[in-house]
Amino acid sequence: LLNAWTSIGEQHQCRVGKAHLKVFVTGGAGYIGSHVVVELVKHGYEVVIFDNFSNASSNVPTALSELCGVQITVTSGDLRDASALECVFSDHSIDAVMHFAGLKSVAESVADPLMYYDNNVLGSLQLCKSMRKYDVKRLVFSSSATVYGDPISVPIREDAPAVNPTNPYGMTKVICEKMVLDLCRSDPSFSAGILRYFNPVGAHPSGLIGEDPKGQPANLMPLLTNAAADPTAVLKIYGCDYPTKDGTGVRDYIHVCDLAAGHVAALNRCSTDSQHFIANLGTGNGFSVLEVIRAFEQACGIKIAYQIAPRRPGDVAICYADTSYATEFLNWRAEKTLKDMCLDSWRWQEQNSLLGSHM
């Protein structure tokens, strides 16, 4: 399987010379950013990664180079450091930016909101200032469905209110969205795509890259795969009294490779005639925690032990997307199933356990 993916990377290598954009990817060694890097190289773009590796392994660039068949340019630094960004923009002829860098745990943001405002908002502000200084006018911004807070109705459309998130993480995304939109309005030559995505899960089918947060994971799928790998582990389900079909929270889970394809579609749109737009990226289907557990058990043949725990602060009951705008405007839709998400997540877990350490 790995040899097959390496050969595909070699095919991508011949495209790089035709790259019509050099893309600066902040947080490009992270979970979502790394998968987007693969998709960018697949479509002939040249990539420069910027990451402080606070929640990503230093092994990821090696895996990306193997997967893509080209040496990936990687720079290490913090977005709040203007001098670090100065080095990148002055050394590379950047055409567009994809911005993933930021802290992303809802629970952690509730416990330490100032850390989230400092990192996510100030980092994005410094990035936009550097882009303006170096006349880089195309941006795809990684936002989140958390901006919708506790939705009035589902599925959620892009015109739903996005002003009252239930947690500080979501509020940092609202502030950054507003900043990007104000920048676009002040400069008609600036083009930006804001992507509000729902719950990314899964891993690249090669098993070379996947989700591996440092410390205790906060998201369901890595908790699930960790529980499957440890026969003594018990998965905690946070809340069983939500107003849902089985009492557990309902989310729109989207395969990270589908999500990556959506980012490239958004970049293509930024490169044509659109000044700014907001699009949901999801499947349009909601699955409860218990439904995901059952799907994982069926796909992977492993029984998961679980117990009910109290609700977590900042969580909402139901959240899933109306994706019709992304389908029409970006010519994109999610294609992978919940079974695909479970199988690819488990392959990533198994393969990296066999290697003795996670990426």
Side-chain angles (χ1 to χ4, degrees), residues 104-128:
K104 62 177 184 178
S105 168
V106 168
E108 186 180 57
S109 78
V110 173
D112 193 349
L114 295 184
M115 179 172 67
Y116 272 67
Y117 287 111
D118 179 71
N119 188 90
N120 294 3
V121 177
L122 293 185
S124 298
L125 174 61
Q126 188 58 59
L127 176 64
C128 288

Side-chain angles (χ1 to χ4, degrees), residues 46-67:
E46 189 175 351
V47 174
V48 177
I49 287 176
F50 186 87
D51 207 299
N52 66 4
F53 292 92
S54 63
N55 197 35
S57 169
S58 59
N59 294 326
V60 169
T62 301
L64 286 174
S65 293
E66 180 180 348
L67 189 56

Side-chain angles (χ1 to χ4, degrees), residues 232-282:
T232 66
V234 178
L235 176 70
K236 288 186 178 181
I237 297 176
Y238 295 99
C240 65
D241 57 348
Y242 286 108
T244 63
K245 61 189 83 175
D246 57 25
T248 63
V250 170
R251 298 290 183 271
D252 187 337
Y253 297 94
I254 176 173
H255 197 292
V256 66
C257 291
D258 280 335
L259 193 70
H263 283 77
V264 174
L267 178 60
N268 292 339
R269 195 73 197 208
C270 285
S271 304
T272 55
D273 58 349
S274 298
Q275 193 201 359
H276 56 83
F277 59 89
I278 298 173
N280 289 334
L281 296 188

Side-chain angles (χ1 to χ4, degrees), residues 59-82:
N59 294 326
V60 169
T62 301
L64 286 174
S65 293
E66 180 180 348
L67 189 56
C68 296
V70 295
Q71 190 66 37
I72 303 296
T73 301
V74 181
T75 55
S76 180
D78 192 294
L79 278 182
R80 293 165 292 183
D81 183 353

